[in-house]
Amino acid sequence: MKKLLAEFLGTFWLVFGGCGSAVFAAAFPELGIGFAGVALAFGLTVLTAAYALGHISGGHFNPAVSIGLFAGGRFDGKELLPYILAQLSGGILAAAILYFILQGQAGFSGVGGFASNGYEALSPNQYSIYSAILIEVVLTAFFLIVIMGATSKKAPVGFAPIAIGLALTLIHLISIPITNTSVNPARSTAVALFAETAALGQLWVFWVAPIVGAVAGAFIYRLIETEVEEKDQVADMQLSLD
């Protein structure tokens, strides 16, 4: 239960901080933080939550990450469904609170897109479904590669949250104009439930593409890691023979 609560809180923080920055601050008159600010906000939520909660649950905060780590042999399949449910619950609660806060604005007239993800008419720059799928697959794959590499036993100790947070910032800098950046089905689901657009009808893309990308990234990293380990073993054998 402590692990699940950590995943709940971490995903809550990611959606509340990342999507909250997009909803309230991205286009604030004259002092808006813009795409770069939103990208940094998402990265900071993961970085801070990973340092605060990662030692409890592993700091996934993302169903695609959990599935990818399972595919990469880093996560027990028995915990997969409870983790995903905890992540979804945390994200939805965060989106609900953002929704009620937004209604307190003077002259409130609706939440609009509510930082939801989309393609074609719902893409910030009108990108096609094919562009959306491809960018989400590629970026989630590299996100898993960074996560698995940064948390490897051979990686520098204590720096994983920084690498992962900066990776998520970079991912958002690349893809906000294309899909509003998902790489996280819990984040996409949470805000789509409240958006006043057709975001729910497009939600399947932001489940399928990140999961495919995460699994691909995990297998790629396992392939690289295995080759490195085999070379190290050969080198150790040669040293012992010498």
Side-chain angles (χ1 to χ4, degrees):
M1 289 304 299
K2 289 181 179 179
K3 290 182 180 181
L4 297 182
L5 181 58
E7 286 297 305
F8 175 92
L9 292 172
T11 313
F12 176 97
W13 186 233
L14 185 150
V15 172
F16 194 83
C19 294
S21 71
V23 169
F24 299 129
F28 189 78
E30 298 181 7
L31 297 176
I33 61 175
F35 284 175
V38 173
L40 182 59
F42 272 101
L44 288 174
T45 61
V46 169
L47 188 155
T48 53
Y51 270 122
L53 303 167
H55 62 284
I56 300 172
S57 67
H60 301 184
F61 317 139
N62 181 337
V65 169
S66 296
I67 293 170
L69 291 175
F70 167 68
R74 296 276 191 93
F75 187 57
D76 187 350
K78 293 179 181 178
E79 294 187 279
L80 193 54
L81 182 58
Y83 262 54
I84 292 173
L85 292 176
Q87 293 156 358
L88 285 170
S89 299
I92 291 169
L93 179 60
I97 293 175
L98 291 174
Y99 178 80
F100 286 114
I101 293 172
L102 191 57
Q103 291 184 41
Q105 183 182 26
F108 173 76
S109 59
V111 298
F114 201 55
S116 58
N117 303 113
Y119 53 87
E120 295 174 352
L122 300 185
S123 161
N125 208 22
Q126 309 286 297
Y127 280 88
S128 71
I129 184 173
Y130 305 107
S131 297
I133 291 172
L134 186 57
I135 195 71
E136 291 288 331
V137 168
V138 171
L139 290 179
T140 315
F142 272 91
F143 194 36
L144 258 291
I145 291 170
V146 171
I147 290 170
M148 293 184 72
T151 56
S152 169
K153 292 179 180 179
K154 295 186 178 181
V157 178
F159 291 98
I162 297 174
I164 294 166
L166 289 177
L168 191 60
T169 300
L170 175 59
I171 285 167
H172 278 77
L173 288 173
I174 296 168
S175 61
I176 286 177
I178 302 170
T179 62
N180 221 16
T181 309
S182 172
V183 302
N184 185 337
R187 168 261 191 271
S188 298
T189 301
V191 290
L193 291 172
F194 298 90
E196 297 172 342
T197 64
L200 275 175
Q202 297 187 0
L203 184 59
W204 67 272
V205 168
F206 303 103
W207 274 87
V208 173
I211 289 173
V212 170
V215 172
F219 280 120
I220 291 169
Y221 185 80
R222 284 191 71 179
L223 178 64
I224 297 169
E225 187 178 44
T226 301
E227 289 183 352
V228 170
E229 287 177 351
E230 288 175 352
K231 289 180 180 179
D232 288 344
Q233 289 173 358
V234 171
D236 290 341
M237 288 178 64
Q238 289 176 340
L239 286 172
S240 63
L241 289 172
D242 293 341

